[in-house]
Amino acid sequence: MAQSAPTPGRPVIPGRPSVPGRSAGPATPDVFSERTHRLTKLILPVVLGLVYGYWAAAMNRDAGPITGWNLLFGFVTAFVFAALFIAVQTVAPRLRREPHAVLWAAFAGCAFGFLYSQAPQHTVVRATLMSLAVAAAVFAVAFYRYYTHEDATGHRLP
C-alpha cells in the first residue's frame, strides 16, 4: 500500500487526507491580522468608490470647467458604487460558486459600462457590448477561481 508518511515536525491532522507533496499546515499563511482584514473590508469600498466617482465625474465634464453639479455627480456616483460594492461583498460569499461568479461579473460589467457610457463619443450599443465583454471575462476568471477553491456548496477547500 502506498501511503505518505508524516513529515517530521508537522502533526498529522485526523480526518484530513494526506496528499503527497502537500504539508499538513495551512495552504497559505495569513500574514495580516483579523483586525487588518476587517478594516480593509470597510476601507476598500470607500477608496474604490472615491476613485470611481472621480473618474466618472472627470469623464462626464469632458475637459470642461468643474461645477457644483459635476462634484455632486462624482460624490453620488462614489456613494452608489461603494454601497453596491459593499452589498456584493456581503451577499456574494453566501452564494454557491455559479451565482457568486455571476454577481461579481454583473457588478463589474455594470460598473465598466457606466464609465464607458460617460464618454460622449461612445454609443449605447458599443457601451453595452463592451460591458458584456468585461462581464464575460470577469465571470470566467471568478468562476475558475471559485471552482478550484470551493466545493459545490460554496465552502472553501482545505
Side-chain angles (χ1 to χ4, degrees), residues 6-147:
T7 307
R10 294 280 186 166
V12 176
I13 301 172
R16 184 171 177 185
S18 180
V19 179
R22 185 182 285 181
S23 66
T28 57
D30 193 9
V31 178
F32 300 110
S33 67
E34 185 62 34
R35 179 177 178 261
T36 305
H37 285 287
R38 275 184 282 138
L39 283 174
T40 303
K41 198 170 188 173
L42 294 175
I43 292 173
L44 184 66
V46 173
V47 170
L48 288 178
L50 288 172
V51 169
Y52 187 86
Y54 172 74
W55 195 349
M59 289 182 69
N60 190 321
R61 72 182 172 91
D62 194 31
I66 298 174
T67 63
W69 290 113
N70 187 251
L71 287 174
L72 179 66
F73 176 76
F75 281 116
V76 168
T77 303
F79 177 76
V80 169
F81 180 88
L84 289 175
F85 188 90
I86 290 171
V88 170
Q89 194 177 32
T90 304
V91 173
R94 297 179 183 153
L95 300 173
R96 292 178 45 160
R97 58 185 172 211
E98 294 87 0
H100 191 170
V102 166
L103 187 59
W104 279 111
F107 174 74
C110 290
F112 178 83
F114 179 74
L115 279 182
Y116 197 78
S117 69
Q118 293 303 308
Q121 68 268 22
H122 301 305
T123 64
V124 174
V125 174
R126 182 168 175 170
T128 303
L129 292 175
M130 292 296 287
S131 64
L132 285 174
V134 167
V138 169
F139 174 76
V141 170
F143 182 75
Y144 176 77
R145 189 213 183 276
Y146 301 137
Y147 189 79

